[in-house]
Amino acid sequence: SQTIHQWPATLVQPVGSPLSLECTVEGTSNPNLYWYRQAAGRGLQLLFYSVGIGQISSEVPQNLSASRPQDRQFILSSKKLLLSDSGFYLCAWMTASYNSPLHFGNGTRLTVT
Amino acid sequence: QQQVKQSPQSLIVQKGGISIINCAYENTAFDYFPWYQQFPGKGPALLIAIRPDVSEKKEGRFTISFNKSAKQFSLHIMDSQPGDSATYFCAASYTGGFKTIFGAGTRLFVKA
């Protein structure tokens, strides 16, 4: 069966520090991969998605970047965190097929202080 | 045209009652309509999904009603339980598209 791993679960970082969040998927090949951000009590904002290794599409211009160095690995990064980067970051995957649902990880709670 | 509008924003229901959440869309290319359930501190999880060739789908206490002509769909939770208290998101996507469009979410609280 397919599983998605996302870490760390919580993170407290000072303003101006770098960020690296990692997500890996097991049990499937060539998935579409996604990074979402969710502000407290708010909806899901799509940040990046990838349909293949090295292919990244950015949805919202911001202080973040994403990379996909391997088929089932998706990384969210920042060189210098801002206070506004605080939030709940969710990685998700989907098979590249007809009518496929998203499968989310358990998220990373990032607090920038 | 890519939006999915979801209402209400929040909902309080007595235990045993029916919870109803509504969504509307504009893009007629959408052909897959999932609902996700999210508990605090967790990622959303697929609850139930429907395609536009059927008007209703039922799984246990959860039912999706779909009105293609009105471009609306809704989630009904029968015999609502305190354990159903969560945030619910409707969503839509289309074949060949890479993105899932989410509604803004509904926070459901079921009173014991």
Side-chain angles (χ1 to χ4, degrees):
Chain A
S1 64
Q2 302 92 354
T3 55
I4 179 169
H5 301 280
Q6 191 179 342
W7 67 93
T10 59
L11 191 60
V12 180
Q13 292 283 98
V15 169
S17 64
L19 173 73
S20 181
L21 302 181
E22 190 164 339
C23 171
T24 59
V25 179
E26 295 178 358
T28 187
S29 297
N30 195 31
N32 292 344
L33 296 173
Y34 302 82
W35 279 111
Y36 285 85
R37 179 169 61 198
Q38 188 173 30
R42 304 292 296 275
L44 298 159
Q45 180 188 30
L46 178 61
L47 302 176
F48 301 94
Y49 68 93
S50 171
V51 299
I53 296 173
Q55 300 179 58
I56 307 295
S57 295
S58 174
E59 286 296 296
V60 182
Q62 58 207 319
N63 187 40
L64 302 169
S65 62
S67 62
R68 183 171 178 174
Q70 299 180 42
D71 180 46
R72 290 168 290 175
Q73 184 185 28
F74 206 22
I75 297 171
L76 183 69
S77 303
S78 174
K79 292 182 179 178
K80 289 185 178 182
L81 284 168
L82 305 172
L83 285 174
S84 58
D85 291 324
S86 294
F88 191 45
Y89 288 83
L90 290 155
C91 181
W93 70 272
M94 182 172 71
T95 59
S97 64
Y98 173 68
N99 288 170
S100 175
L102 280 165
H103 305 274
F104 287 88
N106 275 330
T108 294
R109 174 76 58 194
L110 172 66
T111 303
V112 182
T113 60
Chain B
Q1 197 178 22
Q2 284 286 78
Q3 282 186 326
V4 175
K5 295 182 180 179
Q6 181 172 348
S7 62
Q9 201 170 24
S10 62
L11 182 61
I12 300 174
V13 174
Q14 287 289 132
K15 178 182 176 182
I18 302 174
S19 304
I20 302 174
I21 304 170
N22 300 299
C23 286
Y25 65 97
E26 290 293 327
N27 189 347
T28 55
F30 288 143
D31 59 4
Y32 182 63
F33 300 88
W35 284 87
Y36 293 85
Q37 178 188 55
Q38 184 182 28
F39 294 106
K42 300 293 185 182
L46 178 68
L47 184 64
I48 187 173
I50 197 168
R51 299 185 179 93
D53 53 344
V54 297
S55 59
E56 185 175 282
K57 183 174 181 180
K58 185 175 181 179
E59 289 184 2
R61 296 184 294 108
F62 301 91
T63 300
I64 301 178
S65 297
F66 188 84
N67 186 329
K68 188 174 182 178
S69 60
K71 292 185 282 188
Q72 295 174 348
F73 57 112
S74 59
L75 176 69
H76 295 235
I77 306 174
M78 311 300 287
D79 187 27
S80 298
Q81 299 297 312
D84 297 330
S85 297
T87 299
Y88 292 82
F89 293 95
C90 63
S93 63
Y94 57 89
T95 301
F98 300 120
K99 294 185 281 187
T100 298
I101 309 302
F102 284 90
T106 297
R107 299 179 92 172
L108 170 66
F109 179 68
V110 181
K111 295 171 64 174

